Each structure stands twice: as structure tokens, then as C-alpha cells.
Amino acid sequence: MAKYYPTIGLEIHAELKTATKMFCNSKNDPHEKRSNVNICPVCMGHPGTLPTVNKEAVKHVLKVGVSVGGVIADYSEFDRKNYFYPDIPKGYQISQYQFPLVKGGELASVVLTRVHLEEDTAKSFHVSGEEIEEHSLIDFNRAGVPLMELVTEPVITTSAQAVSFARELQLLLRTLGVSDADMEKGGMRVEANISVSPILGTFGNKVEVKNLNSFRSVERAIEYELKRQESVIEEGGEVVQETRGWDEEKGETFSQRKKENSHDYRYFPDPDIPKFLLSEIPEFSVERLQSELPELPWKKRERLIQQYALKPEDSELYVQDSFLAEFFEKVSAGLKDKKFIKLASNYIVSDLVSLQKESVVNPMRLLPENFTELIEMTATGEVSSRGAKDILKVMYEEGGAPRIIAEEKKLFQQSDESFLISVAEKVISANQKVVSEYQKGKGTALQYLIGQCMKETRGSANPAKMQEILSKLLKS
Ligand code: ADP
Ligand code: MG
């Protein structure tokens, strides 16, 4: 088969987290279970009603814009995108066409075209069953919810790159607190435009794939579609420019409709919404927006590696999980000896993370200062690593200070020099045969003697110290 060059461009929608909807005072509550309760004449599209722009939603999009280094518009407006479908009560969707809030920018090495603001549609449900006639129901709670749309340039070349871009966007939206961006719940929706071409630098006809409800589906759908398009061309055909759906079960894309052109929508500026000059609104100035940004994921990624010399995969865990990151940073700040930071991080990424997964206790009762102390006790050999794990579990589920728990559970290791010497002397005199084997050069005999000492002290001896003392005594 000839070689084909894939091109992918993404269009990603995200429901924004705001108190009210985009153009009215109805509640924006994605968790509402009852249908058609968060509605009003405005979002139901009743004649004579007037939309008012939700400032919070605009600000959310502008924050995304400054984060990705896009150009914030000075002049912006909303347009009507006209089409008929039962889930848009007005017969048009308010969106942005020529003057989006943000142009350009870059995220995860992918160049962005634009980021704009629009309103979400209602949700339709298709009901059928054995004793019910087939019918459809519509829930308007979602109609008019603020929706951000981000469009990338056609510069992505692999399914893996598309997925890591979408993941990075999700992380950004969550870090900014502007969207929950949950793909499974439809809070973030990825549409993939896909084409292949036999000649590098030219584009083939593109297909837009919709209803991708997980990162996994994004990856699978792109892989499937690239292969399908390649074989269409191989067989002498031409890829039809169209919109296709994704069948999760079959693992296939299927034709939905021939792609409409933007002129079909008869976009025009919404005459009911005043145009705005963002530069006239002080709280939307780039300086102001920038000063309000939290630490962005890519900056945090770099800083954690720089500051703590973490492995990239550990740093990534903290970038993805702000709770663990905050915990780790508090612990690190509390450690008297900073060379124990690595040990602390190891206990967090392995033991603490497993406790989070296994334990039914939620939230955990473990305090960072107690964890810090446990790390110090472990690093100095006061407790064994086995003992530390037991103490950690108790602290996680019940709280408490590690010293008290170690005392109660008899987990302190004996490090007292004269006590350990007396134990060693006792074991040596009782095991003369093994001792002479050791002195003849059988190294493993020492392990046996350490084992006997541990037995003698019912496991409480510090094994590192024990070994040190035994080898010293046997040499002399
Ligand atoms: P349309 O007019 O069909 O909406 P746009 O030019 O607005 O197309 O692009 C929509 C999306 O499709 C963008 O994400 C863009 O990067 C992507 N895209 C454009 N052309 C191609 C192509 N040939 N192959 C893959 N993706 C493409
Ligand atoms: Mg377009």
C-alpha cells in the first residue's frame, strides 16, 4: 500500500461552569435530574424575549485564551446560526462567527485557530420499547448553557497526538475551574476532522467524526477512519466529505449526513445583543486576566521537576492530581532534611496512592505534618519500611501521630547499641558452627545470624544496625 499522510483537526466543545445560563437567569446545573426545571421564556425561545450576555462565561473563555497565548479580541459580537432541529427552541443557535473572543494560541504544541462562545442545545431522548410507541422527548435544562468551542488548525498527524491534546485541554479547563470537562458525561465533546493524502503538504477531503464520548473512542475512531479512507483511495475511490458518527460497539464510523457549508447557516449578527469592545471592560484586560490565572499545568510540570528533582512520571501524577500535589509540597516543606524528599515522594506515589484506591475511608484522615514525621522516622531507621506501611495505613484511616501509633503497635526498631550488642553476642555463642562457616568465607551465613537476632528480638531490632554490629564482632 502506498504511504498516506494523515491530517487531523479538532473541534472541542466544553460546557462552562457558571451559576446561570449564557443569555438568561435560568440555573446552569448539569447535575439536575428532573427534566425541564431550569428553563425560562428566554432559553425556551419565546418571541419578544431578550438575551443578556453572561459575563462570567465570557471571562472563562478569555482565561482560556490568555492561558494558550491567543489574541484576545477587542471587538466581538454574537451571531445567529440558523438551522432547524427540535433541540434548538429558537430555530437558531447563538454563536460567534466572524469575531470570536480569541484567535490563535497554542496548546500542547498544537496551533489553535480560535476559541469562541455559544449556547448549548437541549437534549433529546429517543424512547422505544415493546409496549410503547416510538417517540422522542426533549429536556431543555441544557438549552442555553454556555458552551466554549475551541478549534485547532489541521496540524495533528496521529491519533495519539490528538488524544494528548484533548487531555491537556481537559486539564487546563479543570485547572482554570471553568469546566468539569467530563467526556463521559458530555461536558466535553471532541469532534475529529480527519483526512489522508498521498502527497505530503496537500490535504485530502475531510470527514468529521462526532459522538466521541471518551479519549479511547477518540483514538479508536481516528485509527479506524484513517484506515477506511486509505482503503477507499486504494480501491480507486474518493473520500466523501461528510459527517460520520462513531459506533462504540462495532468500533466503526458510519455516514450520518453530507457536510453542510457555513453559508447554509445564514449567519448574521444577533440584532438583540449589543456588540462589545472588550478593551473597554477593565476586568477583561489581558493583564488583569493573567494576574488571576492559577499555575498552569505545563508550568507546574516544569517547576516540580526543577524544584524537587522528581522523575517525570511522578511529576505528571502531581500535575494531574492537585490534591496529591498540594500534599506532597506541604510534606516537602515540612521535612527538616530535604534529602528525604525523594523518599517522601516514593511513599506518596506508591503507598498513599494505593491506600486511596483500596481504602473505604474517604476523605483520608492523614495530615501532611504526620506524614512528614513518619518519613523522618523511616529515613533514620526508627521504624522499618514494613512498619512504616502499617503506620501509614492507620494514619490514613484513623488519623493520629506516627510516634504514638508506633508505640502502641510496638513498631519502633531497637537501635540501642548496647542492647543490640548483647543480642549479637548471645546469638554468636549459640551458633558457633555457622560462625565458623562465615569466617571461612560463606557470606550467606551472616544473613542466617541476622535472622536469628531478629527472632531473638521478635523483629524489633533495626536490621541495618544489627548487620553492622554482627560483622564488626565477627571480624575481631
Ligand atoms: P468547515 O468549514 O468544514 O467547518 P474548517 O476549515 O472550519 O472547516 O475546519 C474545521 C476543522 O477541520 C478544523 O479543526 C480544521 O483544523 C479541520 N480541518 C480543515 N481541513 C482539514 C483537512 N483537510 N483534514 C483534516 N482536518 C481538517
Ligand atoms: Mg468551521
Side-chain angles (χ1 to χ4, degrees), residues 21 56 126 149 175 179 249 329 341 388:
K21 291 189 182 178
E56 195 189 4
H126 306 290
E149 178 173 346
T175 304
S179 173
E249 233 115 88
E329 296 215 65
I341 288 178

Side-chain angles (χ1 to χ4, degrees), residues 217-393:
S217 321
V218 172
E219 179 154 24
R220 289 174 71 206
I222 293 173
E223 283 303 317
Y224 176 88
E225 193 51 32
L226 290 174
K227 289 211 180 71
R228 188 189 69 83
Q229 293 183 15
E230 284 170 16
S231 39
V232 167
I233 300 171
E234 283 290 302
E235 283 156 24
E238 198 186 339
V239 172
V240 181
Q241 183 132 339
E242 62 181 347
T243 301
R244 295 176 74 88
W246 168 246
D247 187 323
E248 181 70 37
E249 233 115 88
K250 290 198 188 130
E252 291 172 359
T253 63
F254 58 92
S255 179
Q256 280 185 318
R257 54 188 151 91
K258 302 296 163 245
K259 181 82 180 148
E260 54 292 289
N261 283 311
S262 59
H263 64 250
D264 294 326
Y265 291 119
R266 298 291 188 273
Y267 278 101
F268 68 89
D270 192 313
D272 289 340
I273 305 176
K275 330 262 168 255
F276 42 101
L277 286 173
L278 287 165
S279 57
E280 287 178 355
I281 309 169
E283 61 180 293
F284 289 168
S285 77
V286 172
E287 298 72 40
R288 180 78 167 266
L289 291 163
Q290 249 155 4
S291 72
E292 290 172 19
L293 293 182
E295 184 177 26
L296 297 172
W298 45 93
K299 299 216 169 118
K300 189 170 186 174
R301 204 171 270 139
E302 284 240 314
R303 180 179 63 81
L304 290 176
I305 293 177
Q306 290 274 330
Q307 190 174 340
Y308 302 106
L310 293 175
K311 284 181 276 183
E313 60 266 36
D314 292 357
S315 150
E316 193 56 32
L317 179 88
Y318 297 133
V319 171
Q320 298 291 334
D321 189 328
S322 57
F323 175 83
L324 282 181
E326 206 181 301
F327 188 85
F328 164 70
E329 296 215 65
K330 276 191 191 148
V331 167
S332 300
L335 282 169
K336 284 182 219 82
D337 190 339
K338 303 297 176 203
K339 73 170 185 279
F340 300 153
I341 288 178
K342 207 164 234 150
L343 182 69
S345 185
N346 288 346
Y347 270 88
I348 293 173
V349 302
S350 58
D351 299 273
L352 188 54
V353 167
S354 340
L355 278 168
Q356 281 183 324
K357 284 187 196 131
E358 290 155 14
S359 179
V360 288
V361 175
N362 184 28
M364 67 175 193
R365 309 249 157 84
L366 171 66
L367 297 177
E369 55 268 30
N370 289 333
F371 185 86
T372 305
E373 193 172 12
L374 176 66
I375 293 303
E376 285 168 342
M377 287 162 64
T378 313
T380 53
E382 281 185 88
V383 293
S384 67
S385 57
R386 179 65 258 160
K389 286 177 210 292
D390 294 345
I391 296 168
L392 183 58
K393 188 164 193 293

Side-chain angles (χ1 to χ4, degrees), residues 7-11 151-154 193-195 203-204 206 259:
T7 300
I8 301 155
L10 300 176
E11 292 168 282
V151 183
T152 79
E153 288 290 292
N193 296 273
I194 304 158
S195 67
F203 290 152
K206 76 173 155 69
K259 181 82 180 148

Side-chain angles (χ1 to χ4, degrees), residues 11-13 59 69 87 91 106 108 116 122 130 153 168 181 189 216 218 234 237 245 359 366 400 406 419 437 465 473:
E11 292 168 282
I12 304 185
H13 286 90
K59 190 161 185 180
D87 67 13
E106 194 182 309
H116 72 248
E130 262 171 31
E153 288 290 292
E168 191 75 345
R189 293 163 235 157
R216 175 110 185 89
V218 172
E234 283 290 302
S359 179
L366 171 66
F419 170 73
E437 278 169 16
K465 277 245 160 82
L473 288 178

Side-chain angles (χ1 to χ4, degrees), residues 13-38:
H13 286 90
E15 277 173 17
L16 298 179
K17 246 203 287 202
T18 53
T20 56
K21 291 189 182 178
M22 189 59 229
F23 297 108
C24 64
N25 272 328
S26 293
K27 206 169 160 200
N28 171 14
D29 180 7
H31 307 294
E32 178 58 64
K33 292 279 177 308
R34 301 162 298 164
S35 40
N36 297 311
V37 291
N38 293 325

